[in-house]
């Protein structure tokens, strides 16, 4: 089975604007998703790591998605995240996303308990789909061992494939490990393998990867879309590396939200759900002065 063409490209992992009471601000989130799509992202992934997905309840996430759909957001271009430690929560999200018409669900393995015994991961994914009622929605596996505690090796991927078969259409690899990413591409040529790291995006695509699901498209959507097809000597490569280094060095997600608050001239975008806190505005201004310097903008 060949990789579906609609899965290829850059998927923006959207930040989640929140209200003063730390509820999801669906109006701002919908507008931001539409901006990313208009400026080069092929699809959008809400409520993943960049979207503070673990900080919101099942009800909050499904209600927000339903409100955005009612307001006209194209759900066929949505790949929302499933970050849940419980089987029931994961299943409810998968069912809800399917009912809303989302393109796929990006599912993080269950966290908290360590599980090394062969078969346990496959048991979880199979149980999620069964409990969800076997909905008509594709699955992307989410490889982020820093949060889940589990590394998706080719053997682990195969464990899930053995249980879910063609329902699994891809994997997001957030490790930033180029060799490991290439190994996944080689082992599973029929799966859409995405990197989460701009610095290796073009090399992953050249190796047969599908593209990227990442956070930098929040603030540089057009450049990230261009980067997917860039040559190794394209000046954008060095610029992208400098950008992700600067963002990660000062707080990652909180920097992205601060930059968006500045870009949109809307301080509400900088709000974080506790225990996370915003980056001071002065720090954001200094980072922006570096990232948006004239020489970088002209590249």
């Amino acid at each position: 089975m060949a990789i579906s063409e609609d899965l290829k490209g850059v998927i923006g992992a959207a930040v989640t604007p929140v209200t003063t009471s730390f509820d999801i601000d669906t109006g701002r989130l919908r507008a931001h998703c539409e901006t990313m799509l208009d400026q080069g992202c092929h699809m959008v992934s809400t409520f993943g790591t960049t979207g503070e997905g673990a900080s919101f309840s099942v009800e909050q996430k499904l209600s927000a998605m339903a409100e955005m759909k009612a307001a006209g957001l194209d759900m066929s271009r949505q790949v929302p995240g499933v970050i849940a430690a419980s089987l029931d929560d994961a299943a409810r999200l998968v069912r809800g996303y399917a009912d809303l018409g989302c393109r796929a669900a990006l599912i993080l393995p269950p966290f908290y308990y360590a599980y090394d015994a062969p078969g346990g991961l496959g048991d979880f994914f199979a149980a999620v789909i069964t409990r969800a009622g076997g909905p008509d929605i594709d699955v992307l596996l989410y490889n982020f061992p820093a949060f889940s505690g589990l590394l998706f090796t080719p053997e682990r991927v195969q464990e899930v494939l053995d249980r879910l078969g063609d329902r699994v259409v891809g994997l997001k690899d957030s490790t930033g490990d180029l060799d490991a990413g290439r190994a996944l591409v080689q082992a599973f040529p029929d799966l859409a393998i995405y990197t989460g790291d701009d610095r290796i995006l073009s090399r992953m695509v050249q190796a047969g990867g599908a593209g990227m699901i990442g956070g930098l498209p929040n603030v540089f959507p057009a450049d990230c879309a261009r980067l997917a097809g860039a040559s190794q000597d394209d000046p954008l490569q060095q610029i992208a590396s400098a950008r992700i280094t600067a963002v990660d060095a000062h707080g990652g997600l909180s920097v992205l939200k601060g930059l968006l608050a500045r870009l949109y001239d809307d301080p509400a975008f900088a709000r974080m759900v506790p225990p996370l806190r915003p980056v001071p505005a002065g720090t954001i201004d200094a980072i922006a002065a570096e990232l948006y310097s004239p020489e970088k903008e002209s590249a």
Side-chain angles (χ1 to χ4, degrees):
M1 181 181 68
I3 299 171
S4 176
E5 287 297 319
D6 77 319
L7 290 174
K8 296 179 180 179
V10 170
I11 300 177
V15 304
T16 304
V18 296
T19 67
T20 55
S21 58
F22 307 116
D23 293 309
I24 298 168
D25 189 328
T26 56
R28 284 184 169 89
L29 178 57
R30 177 181 59 80
H32 179 51
C33 287
E34 290 175 341
T35 296
M36 285 196 291
L37 292 170
D38 289 344
Q39 294 186 6
C41 289
H42 191 55
M43 287 190 278
V44 173
S45 179
T46 50
F47 308 132
T49 305
T50 303
E52 296 172 85
S55 296
F56 303 108
S57 69
V58 171
E59 288 74 17
Q60 284 177 301
K61 286 180 271 197
L62 292 181
S63 176
M65 293 295 284
E67 287 183 31
M68 291 192 292
K69 179 178 181 177
L73 191 64
D74 184 356
M75 291 292 112
S76 71
R77 299 179 73 181
Q78 290 290 322
V79 184
V82 175
I83 300 177
S86 80
L87 180 63
D88 190 61
D89 283 351
R92 288 165 63 201
L93 285 170
V94 170
R95 175 80 257 175
Y97 294 155
D99 289 345
L100 288 165
C102 296
R103 175 62 182 85
L106 176 64
I107 306 178
L108 188 79
F111 50 91
Y112 192 82
Y113 290 112
Y115 48 102
D116 293 325
L121 183 63
D123 289 344
F124 172 79
F125 276 88
V128 165
I129 297 303
T130 298
R131 182 165 294 201
D136 183 19
I137 188 170
D138 288 333
V139 169
L140 295 177
L141 307 179
Y142 192 0
N143 187 34
F144 206 167
F147 284 92
S148 70
L150 180 135
L151 177 67
F152 264 111
T153 61
E155 292 75 21
R156 288 290 199 179
V157 174
Q158 190 61 54
E159 183 179 323
V160 179
L161 291 176
D162 288 343
R163 302 297 296 275
L164 298 189
D166 290 345
R167 183 182 291 274
V168 178
V169 297
L171 176 145
K172 175 190 175 182
D173 179 25
S174 290
T175 66
D177 185 331
L178 178 59
D179 290 338
R182 285 170 168 165
L184 289 169
V185 170
Q186 184 173 11
F188 303 102
D190 293 337
L191 295 185
I193 306 297
Y194 302 92
T195 181
D197 193 325
D198 309 49
R199 292 167 292 195
I200 64 171
L201 171 57
S202 63
R203 285 174 286 173
M204 280 289 289
V205 170
Q206 290 163 10
M212 178 178 74
I213 304 176
L216 266 293
N218 281 280
V219 286
F220 300 108
D223 280 357
C224 289
R226 173 186 154 196
L227 187 63
S231 63
Q232 289 307 298
D233 58 357
D234 191 317
L236 187 57
Q237 297 282 0
Q238 290 185 335
I239 294 171
S241 180
R243 285 171 175 170
I244 196 169
T245 298
V247 168
D248 286 351
H250 294 89
L253 166 58
S254 55
V255 173
L256 291 177
K257 296 190 88 169
L259 289 172
L260 281 173
R262 190 177 184 276
L263 287 170
Y264 287 147
D265 193 20
D266 184 356
F269 267 89
R271 292 191 195 110
M272 309 285 294
V273 179
L276 301 180
R277 303 199 75 189
V279 174
T283 301
I284 293 297
D285 287 343
I287 295 170
E290 168 61 19
L291 297 185
Y292 296 98
S293 62
E295 60 270 21
K296 288 183 170 57
E297 288 297 299
S298 63

